[in-house]
């Protein structure tokens, strides 16, 4: 059983900062890519940032230069540092991890429960 537990969401004023964390637990052989996605009311879920096991990152254009994704492989944890937050960043943020199982010889996608980020103007 694999679980992703997110923390760090909340209410912040425009221009402020928040740091999200997502810890992956369970019978894990290896975690491949990890990432953060978000879904605003009435909109589809969208990619925010991803990071490979080797540390290669990818960002949505809307957050480049403001958000930083990182991971601690020893702790099976991914982080999202969000600076210069804007009201349009308001959404539920979801953590994603691609977990590889040795005996199954394949990877599966897992999602966290989501954490609310609200940016007031």
């Amino acid at each position: 059983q694999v679980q992703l537990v997110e923390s760090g969401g909340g209410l912040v004023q425009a221009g402020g900062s928040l740091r999200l964390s997502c810890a992956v637990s369970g019978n894990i052989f290896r975690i491949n890519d990890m990432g953060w996605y978000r879904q605003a009311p009435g909109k589809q879920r969208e990619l925010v940032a991803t990071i490979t096991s080797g540390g290669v990152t990818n960002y949505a254009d809307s957050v480049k230069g403001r958000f930083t994704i990182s991971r601690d492989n020893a702790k099976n944890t991914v982080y999202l540092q969000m600076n210069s937050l804007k009201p349009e960043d308001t959404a539920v943020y979801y953590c994603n991890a691609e977990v590889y199982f040795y005996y199954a010889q394949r990877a599966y996608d897992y999602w966290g429960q989501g954490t609310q980020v609200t940016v007031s103007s």
Side-chain angles (χ1 to χ4, degrees), residues 94-114:
Y94 295 92
C95 170
N96 171 265
E98 185 183 68
V99 180
Y100 182 84
F101 294 92
Y102 177 80
Y103 290 105
Q105 294 288 291
R106 62 161 289 179
Y108 295 85
D109 263 343
Y110 289 88
W111 293 88
Q113 78 284 359

Side-chain angles (χ1 to χ4, degrees), residues 53-107:
S53 57
V56 178
T57 58
N58 177 54
Y59 295 93
D61 288 343
S62 59
V63 307
K64 281 181 181 176
R66 301 188 298 121
F67 291 10
T68 302
I69 189 171
S70 62
R71 64 190 283 175
D72 184 332
N73 290 331
K75 295 182 179 179
N76 290 335
T77 300
V78 63
Y79 306 95
L80 185 68
Q81 178 66 45
M82 303 184 293
N83 298 328
S84 301
L85 282 160
K86 304 175 181 180
E88 50 264 43
D89 294 319
T90 295
V92 177
Y93 284 69
Y94 295 92
C95 170
N96 171 265
E98 185 183 68
V99 180
Y100 182 84
F101 294 92
Y102 177 80
Y103 290 105
Q105 294 288 291
R106 62 161 289 179

Side-chain angles (χ1 to χ4, degrees), residues 1-6 21-28 31 34 75-78 95-99 110:
Q1 185 77 6
V2 174
Q3 286 188 318
L4 278 65
V5 179
E6 299 150 346
S21 300
C22 173
V24 184
S25 63
N27 187 17
I28 298 166
I31 301 175
M34 303 182 82
K75 295 182 179 179
N76 290 335
T77 300
V78 63
C95 170
N96 171 265
E98 185 183 68
V99 180
Y110 289 88

